């Protein structure tokens, strides 16, 4: 099992211009970019080595790259990255890794992701959300019974065509670039997994609120579009919030405004009370405690052997600790542990 270790490098320098918008259901999809805006002047602050997680409640209207940049600046951190992009339209759980925590990002991204979203019936847009222009309308509005009757068709393994504004490559070109130029392309359906999809409420005839847990690569915008068409009407996303990423839940999130207020109240000091340990990024992995001698071998890139009658039976990624300190990420195979990532903070 080597996929979680093959993750892109963390963000070290954040662009000042807004980043491309992406769909909240697919962390790897870059979308059309808004027009560049001049960044406000900010005083220079010395960068420092800082390790841990900030569980940010991202506000609507901010790109994920902008959110990382804001948190990185508040904490004066040298290195930062995030575990799963959120659309500017979306709010909610954006886990931001600082320093050594960036090594755990792939494992957080593999965790479950839950979204709450509102569909606006009667209008389909070219982006499948409220930021696009209307391309089709319908007078039909679905009843609760009609919606409930089709939900099973959108659960489990389903075939889904990505939105035209997506990061999929067509002959080497991003689909969103072609869409911006008015070039129509036929995107091929692909298999995605929707673990759950439930109707939460219907505030009025034009809107319905859903909650879904979906796998990597699923487009929530496509769910809205396809449900609208299946119900004999049209639909697009009008609101979207991510409530969970892996073990990070909505009640743990800290709004960016709160982080800024804490920092300002302490004369621009970093809001350290919001920094969580590096190890929480590995909560979904098996944990293995080793001796100081074995820890030293792992730190130097050498494998260790699990010996003895009571040695644990492990396969795949494992979080390794020694003396209560996080030492390494390893790969367990046939009774051996091979180090893959070494942690220097020990948190």
């Amino acid at each position: 099992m080597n996929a979680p270790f093959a993750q892109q490098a963390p963000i070290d320098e954040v662009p000042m211009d807004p980043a491309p918008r992406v769909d909240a259901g697919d962390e790897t999809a870059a979308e059309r970019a808004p027009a560049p805006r001049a960044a406000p002047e900010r005083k220079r602050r010395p960068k420092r080595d800082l390790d841990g997680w900030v569980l940010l409640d991202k506000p609507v209207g901010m790109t994920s790259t902008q959110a990382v940049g804001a948190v990185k600046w508040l904490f004066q951190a040298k290195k930062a990255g995030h575990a799963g992009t959120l659309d500017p339209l979306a709010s909610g759980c954006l886990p931001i890794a600082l320093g050594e925590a960036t090594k755990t990002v792939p494992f957080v991204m593999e965790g479950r992701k839950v979204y709450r979203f509102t569909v606006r019936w009667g209008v389909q847009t070219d982006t499948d959300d409220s930021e696009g222009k209307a391309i089709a309308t319908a007078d039909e509005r679905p009843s609760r019974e009609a919606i409930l009757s089709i939900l099973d068709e959108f659960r489990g393994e389903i075939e889904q065509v990505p939105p035209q504004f997506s990061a999929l490559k067509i002959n080497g070109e991003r689909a969103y670039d072609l869409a911006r130029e008015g070039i129509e392309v036929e995107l091929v359906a692909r298999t995605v997994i929707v673990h759950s999809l439930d109707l939460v409420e219907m505030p009025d005839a034009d809107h319905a609120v859903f909650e879904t847990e979906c796998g990597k690569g699923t487009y929530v915008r496509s769910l809205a579009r396809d449900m609208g068409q299946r119900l004999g009407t049209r639909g697009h996303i009008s609101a979207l919030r991510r409530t969970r990423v892996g073990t990070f839940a909505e009640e743990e999130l800290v709004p960016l405004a709160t982080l800024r207020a804490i920092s300002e109240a302490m004369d621009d000091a970093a809001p350290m009370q919001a920094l969580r340990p590096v190890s929480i990024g590995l909560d979904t992995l098996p944990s293995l405690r080793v001796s100081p001698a074995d820890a030293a071998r792992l730190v130097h890139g050498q494998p260790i052997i699990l010996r003895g009658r009571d040695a644990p039976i492990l396969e795949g990624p494992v979080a390794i600790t020694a003396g209560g300190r996080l030492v390494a990420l390893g790969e367990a195979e046939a009774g051996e542990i091979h180090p893959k990532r070494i942690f220097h903070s020990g948190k």
Side-chain angles (χ1 to χ4, degrees):
M1 179 176 180
N2 51 26
F5 294 114
Q7 182 65 21
Q8 64 181 17
I11 298 170
D12 289 319
E13 294 297 331
V14 179
M16 298 309 296
D17 291 336
R21 63 184 293 282
V22 306
D23 186 64
D26 184 356
E27 299 80 11
T28 62
E31 308 296 340
R32 56 185 172 88
R37 296 177 297 178
E41 290 279 337
R42 292 196 294 189
K43 64 182 181 182
R44 288 189 175 275
R45 310 175 78 184
K47 293 182 179 180
R48 57 178 176 165
D49 292 311
L50 195 65
D51 308 307
W53 283 94
V54 178
L55 305 185
L56 184 68
D57 190 340
K58 187 191 84 67
V60 172
M62 175 177 277
T63 68
S64 296
T65 299
Q66 290 171 329
V68 171
V71 169
K72 185 180 178 184
W73 187 84
L74 283 170
F75 283 86
Q76 302 166 249
K78 288 184 179 179
K79 185 184 296 185
H82 64 71
T85 307
L86 273 180
D87 210 343
L89 173 72
S91 66
C93 187
L94 183 67
I96 296 179
L98 303 180
E100 293 282 270
T102 58
K103 297 174 181 177
T104 71
V105 163
F107 299 95
V108 175
M109 290 184 66
E110 289 294 319
R112 61 181 294 202
K113 298 173 186 66
V114 179
Y115 300 91
R116 180 170 290 210
F117 63 100
T118 301
V119 178
R120 165 71 163 88
W121 303 119
V123 180
Q124 183 176 340
T125 69
D126 57 354
T127 60
D128 297 317
D129 64 23
S130 59
E131 295 184 336
K133 64 180 181 181
I135 58 174
T137 60
D139 295 328
E140 182 70 24
R141 297 295 183 271
S143 66
R144 174 181 291 273
E145 291 72 23
I147 294 172
L148 293 175
S149 71
I150 60 103
L151 289 183
D152 272 345
E153 299 175 28
F154 295 90
R155 296 173 178 141
E157 285 194 0
I158 65 171
E159 295 296 305
Q160 185 185 75
V161 177
Q164 287 291 315
F165 284 89
S166 68
L168 298 179
K169 284 191 174 182
I170 309 296
N171 296 325
E173 299 270 356
R174 295 288 186 186
Y176 60 79
D177 286 331
L178 299 173
R180 281 204 304 268
E181 296 172 8
I183 301 173
E184 291 189 11
V185 296
E186 184 175 350
L187 296 176
V188 178
R190 57 184 184 169
T191 302
V192 298
I193 299 178
V194 178
H195 300 287
S196 65
L197 177 63
D198 298 294
L199 176 63
V200 176
E201 60 176 326
M202 297 179 65
D204 54 52
D206 289 332
H207 298 87
V209 181
F210 298 87
E211 187 169 88
T212 184
E213 179 184 346
C214 51
K216 190 174 181 180
T218 305
Y219 283 90
V220 180
R221 288 182 288 141
S222 292
L223 284 177
R225 177 200 66 206
D226 294 346
M227 285 193 293
Q229 293 176 354
R230 175 65 179 83
L231 289 164
T233 182
R234 300 288 177 163
H236 68 268
I237 293 283
S238 63
L240 180 62
R241 180 169 177 80
R242 186 159 64 192
T243 60
R244 177 178 287 272
V245 175
T247 60
F248 303 154
E250 187 173 26
E251 55 269 20
E252 300 177 87
L253 306 182
V254 181
L256 182 58
T258 300
L259 294 176
R260 285 173 170 161
I262 294 171
S263 178
E264 289 172 6
M266 299 188 302
D267 195 24
D268 289 340
M272 296 299 292
Q273 52 266 61
L275 189 66
R276 306 284 298 278
V278 173
S279 58
I280 67 171
L282 302 175
D283 282 350
T284 59
L285 294 185
S287 180
L288 174 66
R289 289 183 295 178
V290 300
S291 68
D294 279 343
R297 288 179 60 84
L298 291 167
V299 167
H300 287 90
Q302 301 172 347
I304 62 173
I305 299 174
L306 300 178
R307 298 183 178 87
R309 183 176 56 186
D310 298 325
I313 300 174
L314 298 170
E315 290 292 329
V318 58
I320 303 162
T321 62
R325 296 172 61 83
L326 182 61
V327 173
L329 273 169
E331 186 84 11
E333 183 180 3
E336 286 191 346
I337 304 292
H338 298 266
K340 297 295 183 179
R341 298 284 189 275
I342 304 301
F343 295 99
H344 303 290
S345 66
K347 296 179 181 179

